[in-house]
Amino acid sequence: MRPEILFPLFAPVTSLKGVGPRVAPLVERLAGPLVRDLAFLTPTGVIRRRPMTAADAVEGEVGIFRLRIDRLIPPHKIGAPFRLRASDDTGFVHLIWFAGSPQQIERLAPRGAERVVSGKVERFNSEVQLPHPDHILPPERADEIPAAEAVYPATQGLTSRQVRKLVLAALAAAPDLPEWQDAAWLAARGWTGWRAALTAVHEPTTEFDLSEEAPPRQRLAYDELLAHQLALARRRRARQIEPAPVIIPGEASARTLDGLAFTLTGAQAQAVNEIRADLASGWRMGRLLQGDVGSGKTAVAALALADAASSGFQSALMAPTEILARQHHGRLAPLLETAGLSSILLTGRDGTAERRRKLQALLDGSAQVAIGTHALFQDAVRFDRLALAVVDEQHRFGVSERQRLQAKGDPRLGGVHLLTMSATPIPRTLELTQYGELDVSRLTEKPPGRTPVTTAVLPLARIGEVAKRLKAALDMGAQAYWICPLVAESEASDLAAAEARADDLRRILGVEVGLAHGRMDGAERETVMADFADGRLPLLVATTVVEVGVDVPNATIMVIEHADRFGLAQLHQLRGRVGRGSKASACILLYGGGPDGILGETAKARLDMLRHSEDGFEIAEADFRLRGGGDPLGLKQSGFPAYRFADPIRHRTLMLAAADDARMLLDRDPDLVSERGRAVQVLEALFDWRTQRPGID
């Protein structure tokens, strides 16, 4: 239950004066439905005002002037502004309005009156002008004009100043909360209490006060990160005390290991040991296996599948696309068969009789391993003794989809263990953000025999030369990808489009060219990609739909047009489609540059990093640094939580500290019954992380 002290903050915005039926929807769209949402709406700018005279007015700055009103000059033609001439002892200042009426203006500033006026200074024909001044007040009310004023986002029907008034009303409703941080710890960082920090955020006087580095913002960011990390840690603990089947390696595990064509790397062996420790614990596993392209995640997963079968249980491996599911089955089925294990492939294209046979094999337990797509969690699918779910390319599935697969287990056996896999290496900070409730195993090595990919960076002007070399390679039996950023020319005139490029390459190269993009029917796209995977197509022109889930060892060439328009992590994932066999491979990054054809500094740094490194974790760290602010790794699209004060990139050290603090706090006080523990529960409820599901359950 929410602590009573937070009731004022969790009241609806309609409880604030001035928020009626008309205004409430506008406020909710801008900030949210609660008073707390307004209190957490941070300023986007600050207006700084200083006293000026007509003689020393500085263009572009906001000045406060003491003026005598001279006369109103009506517009001389339609569309011209109203001009109110005023003066001080040093010269004239003209107040300008492009809307309004003479009566309104004269009520504000009658002729002969003295007024204190503030506005942004402009100059026109050497005249000092204040277009639409923001304050016009009698001298006795001059102190109502603030020297600094926070600027808030506006929306249609609500000005920034109206939003500011509502934010201040919400701030006034914020109670003094019990402190959850140690006073000495706060003082050492120059941080104030929570209430003072929140107030300071809404009272900026400089641009620095708006930044992520400002002490009040850092205090609130740390609180938010701590609340999030506590919620994740508590969910992890809840999982770790949920009973689950005990799975230990057996004879089938040993035969599966012997059937691998290579020796496990040190990182693979460590990951296998970590997974086996989880499976043997008797408590539900929730682990992320994170590894670069080609690091051998599938081999690690195969041993986990064999372990489950060795202990008399079933397992399921779910992939986001049919082609990837078929590739997994094509690799794993023979390996599992040599270990005496039966597996089935379940997809949406199975015929009625074939599907009935497969479902019966799962139900009676004769199939120990199921590999498939979303078809695995359909209502008709029932397992005999499901104990382990493996989810590949986990970011392509929603939380509910993973839960539906796990729900196929028998509650009498306990919870279903979960192993998720990701081929996108991410920095530790973002790992904590998205996967903080999971245990993580990292594969930082690649199995021997992987051929390095030679990466070249060339201007688009050399595209003809690239096409000529590509034709020679295709004539020798090679396969290649050609990546375009768009589907059709109409999307952007200056970028390559997949449809047009496919036509060009068919004509120039004289070969059959496949086309795959996100607008195609899913079945049609899968057919094209399957034809390419089976060697029936020498060249595949595609958008980024091939970023994950395609494994074609014979494909040795990757051409990426307008590579400067792609993110670093995305380029690395695309490059990872080649170099998957023993043949020498190459990736050509064609850049267009800006309007002048010159690469920007950030784009140049991205392409240079790709040219010099194939280490996905090193590249992820570089991507992390280069992106700076904004939406790191497409957070909104990737299921990352939406923070109010914290920035996972700029506050990375705070994130790591908050994760450590959360673990230490729960180690000392698991039930949060101490004085600090009770205060921390208020913090969790304040940010409402316990009711959100930002990560994987």
Side-chain angles (χ1 to χ4, degrees):
M1 293 180 63
R2 182 170 295 122
E4 186 176 351
I5 194 172
L6 294 179
F7 285 2
L9 283 172
F10 281 82
V13 291
T14 51
S15 64
L16 297 175
K17 184 179 179 181
V19 184
R22 184 191 68 81
V23 174
L26 305 178
V27 175
E28 290 184 22
R29 185 165 62 242
L30 183 68
L34 305 174
V35 171
R36 180 203 61 175
D37 300 326
L38 271 172
F40 284 3
L41 183 67
T42 55
T44 56
V46 58
I47 298 172
R48 286 177 291 174
R49 302 179 177 90
R50 65 179 184 86
M52 295 181 184
T53 65
D56 64 15
V58 178
E59 188 171 12
E61 292 188 11
V62 179
I64 301 175
F65 298 83
R66 285 184 169 268
L67 302 172
R68 292 180 299 276
I69 305 303
D70 182 5
R71 65 188 181 93
L72 179 65
I73 304 171
H76 60 281
K77 62 179 181 179
I78 296 175
F82 290 97
R83 301 166 61 86
L84 184 65
R85 192 172 73 174
S87 64
D88 60 17
D89 293 339
T90 67
F92 290 104
V93 175
H94 290 80
L95 314 183
I96 308 295
W97 287 272
F98 285 88
S101 68
Q103 294 79 12
Q104 290 174 318
I105 296 171
E106 287 175 342
R107 278 198 299 272
L108 280 173
R111 186 170 184 173
E114 289 195 7
R115 288 291 183 265
V116 180
V117 181
S118 74
K120 188 173 183 179
V121 176
E122 293 183 1
R123 288 186 179 274
F124 180 74
N125 291 336
S126 75
E127 291 181 349
V128 177
Q129 295 188 160
L130 302 181
H132 294 276
D134 53 27
H135 290 87
I136 301 178
L137 298 173
E140 61 271 18
R141 294 175 56 192
D143 58 356
E144 294 180 21
I145 303 177
E149 181 178 346
V151 176
Y152 291 88
T155 186
Q156 187 172 9
L158 274 182
T159 66
S160 173
R161 187 163 292 168
Q162 288 173 312
V163 173
R164 178 175 179 268
K165 184 177 179 181
L166 295 174
V167 166
L168 294 179
L171 187 61
D176 289 319
L177 301 180
E179 183 56 71
W180 43 81
Q181 303 289 10
D182 179 72
W185 188 86
L186 291 173
R189 287 157 179 75
W191 293 355
T192 62
W194 174 81
R195 185 69 170 73
L198 183 62
T199 301
V201 161
H202 293 288
E203 296 178 348
T205 59
T206 66
E207 293 298 325
F208 174 76
D209 294 338
L210 299 169
S211 72
E212 291 85 355
E213 288 76 30
R217 174 70 175 268
Q218 291 219 332
R219 161 73 213 249
L220 297 175
Y222 189 82
D223 289 340
E224 186 170 30
L225 293 169
L226 178 60
H228 185 202
Q229 291 302 312
L230 276 166
L232 293 177
R234 293 177 78 177
R235 285 214 288 268
R236 177 188 292 185
R237 284 173 180 256
R239 168 178 54 78
Q240 290 171 337
I241 60 173
E242 179 184 347
V246 174
I247 294 175
I248 56 176
E251 189 176 337
S253 305
R255 288 199 295 262
T256 302
L257 181 60
D258 291 341
L260 293 175
F262 53 85
T263 302
L264 295 180
T265 65
Q268 284 177 307
Q270 180 178 340
V272 168
N273 290 336
E274 291 169 346
I275 291 168
R276 283 178 169 169
D278 288 350
L279 294 177
S281 69
W283 309 109
R284 186 167 73 86
M285 175 178 73
R287 183 168 289 274
L288 168 69
L289 180 61
Q290 187 188 164
D292 202 357
V293 174
S295 59
K297 295 181 295 298
T298 306
V300 174
L303 292 173
L305 300 175
D307 289 349
S310 291
S311 295
F313 298 107
Q314 292 171 296
S315 55
L317 190 159
M318 184 168 67
T321 64
E322 182 178 326
I323 188 171
L324 183 54
R326 290 186 181 279
Q327 287 176 349
H328 277 313
H329 187 258
R331 279 206 202 105
L332 293 175
L335 178 64
L336 296 171
E337 188 176 348
T338 61
L341 303 178
S342 172
S343 65
I344 64 161
L345 173 66
L346 195 64
T347 71
R349 293 202 205 182
D350 295 328
T352 304
E354 182 185 16
R355 180 176 176 80
R356 188 180 299 117
R357 176 185 60 79
K358 292 178 179 180
L359 294 181
Q360 182 59 38
L362 292 179
L363 182 59
D364 63 26
S366 58
Q368 291 103 332
V369 178
I371 299 170
T373 59
H374 298 73
L376 287 171
F377 58 71
Q378 300 307 310
D379 292 341
V381 179
R382 296 171 61 191
F383 290 82
D384 179 36
R385 290 169 61 81
L386 180 65
L388 170 65
V390 180
V391 179
D392 193 18
E393 302 294 349
Q394 60 76 36
H395 61 282
R396 302 279 290 274
F397 294 97
V399 172
S400 62
E401 292 172 315
R402 292 186 290 266
Q403 288 176 333
R404 288 180 66 182
L405 179 58
Q406 288 178 278
K408 294 294 181 180
D410 185 340
R412 293 171 297 182
L413 298 176
V416 173
H417 296 287
L418 176 67
L419 176 65
T420 67
M421 300 193 294
S422 174
T424 306
I426 58 175
R428 176 63 178 152
T429 309
L430 293 182
E431 182 183 289
L432 278 172
T433 306
Q434 191 175 19
Y435 309 118
E437 61 192 292
L438 291 178
D439 299 305
V440 180
S441 294
R442 282 185 162 200
L443 299 182
T444 55
E445 308 169 66
K446 289 189 179 181
R450 290 281 181 172
T451 306
V453 178
T454 301
T455 302
V457 179
L458 301 173
L460 268 170
R462 296 178 63 181
I463 192 171
E465 178 185 336
V466 170
K468 184 177 179 181
R469 293 188 180 184
L470 177 62
K471 178 172 173 53
L474 296 181
D475 289 344
M476 295 292 290
Q479 283 182 276
Y481 299 91
W482 190 293
I483 305 300
C484 300
L486 300 173
V487 176
E489 289 286 4
S490 59
E491 295 181 59
S493 58
D494 66 328
L495 295 182
E499 292 172 340
R501 183 60 71 218
D503 291 339
D504 291 342
L505 292 173
R506 286 190 193 98
R507 185 180 68 256
I508 295 169
L509 304 179
V511 299
E512 190 173 356
V513 177
L515 176 64
H517 55 74
R519 290 188 183 178
M520 297 170 65
D521 173 74
E524 180 187 1
R525 185 173 65 246
E526 293 270 349
T527 299
V528 172
M529 294 171 73
D531 286 344
F532 181 68
D534 293 339
R536 291 188 290 273
L537 288 172
L539 178 62
L540 179 65
V541 174
T543 57
T544 55
V545 293
V546 300
E547 183 181 345
V548 295
V550 182
D551 185 9
V552 185
N554 191 52
T556 56
I557 300 171
M558 167 69 69
V559 180
I560 304 176
E561 281 197 62
H562 284 286
D564 48 310
R565 306 293 181 96
F566 291 88
L568 184 50
Q570 190 173 46
L571 288 171
H572 177 62
Q573 287 296 311
L574 288 168
R575 180 175 62 177
R577 298 304 100 203
V578 297
R580 303 179 76 86
S582 58
K583 299 178 182 178
S585 299
C587 177
I588 298 94
L589 305 175
L590 297 173
Y591 65 87
D596 53 4
I598 299 175
L599 273 179
E601 287 301 315
T602 300
K604 184 176 185 299
R606 281 202 303 267
L607 299 184
D608 283 346
M609 169 57 69
L610 260 295
R611 186 167 52 185
H612 292 112
S613 178
E614 280 194 80
D615 185 324
F617 288 95
E618 180 183 0
I619 288 169
E621 289 288 351
D623 196 27
F624 187 87
R625 293 191 302 271
L626 288 172
R627 285 176 182 264
D631 191 17
L633 304 188
L635 300 194
K636 293 181 178 63
Q637 291 75 33
S638 302
F640 285 79
Y643 291 114
R644 305 298 189 101
F645 302 109
D647 182 311
I649 290 180
R650 300 195 185 278
H651 294 141
R652 63 181 308 182
T653 56
L654 296 182
M655 169 81 77
L656 296 171
D660 288 340
D661 200 9
R663 282 192 296 270
M664 185 166 47
L665 178 61
L666 290 176
D667 285 342
R668 294 175 179 175
D669 183 14
D671 297 321
L672 298 180
V673 295
S674 66
E675 183 178 351
R676 186 188 180 197
R678 291 193 298 273
V680 160
Q681 291 190 59
V682 173
L683 168 66
E684 272 192 281
L686 174 66
F687 286 103
D688 219 16
W689 284 118
R690 296 299 302 281
T691 61
Q692 297 187 36
R693 314 194 79 80
I696 298 171
D697 291 310

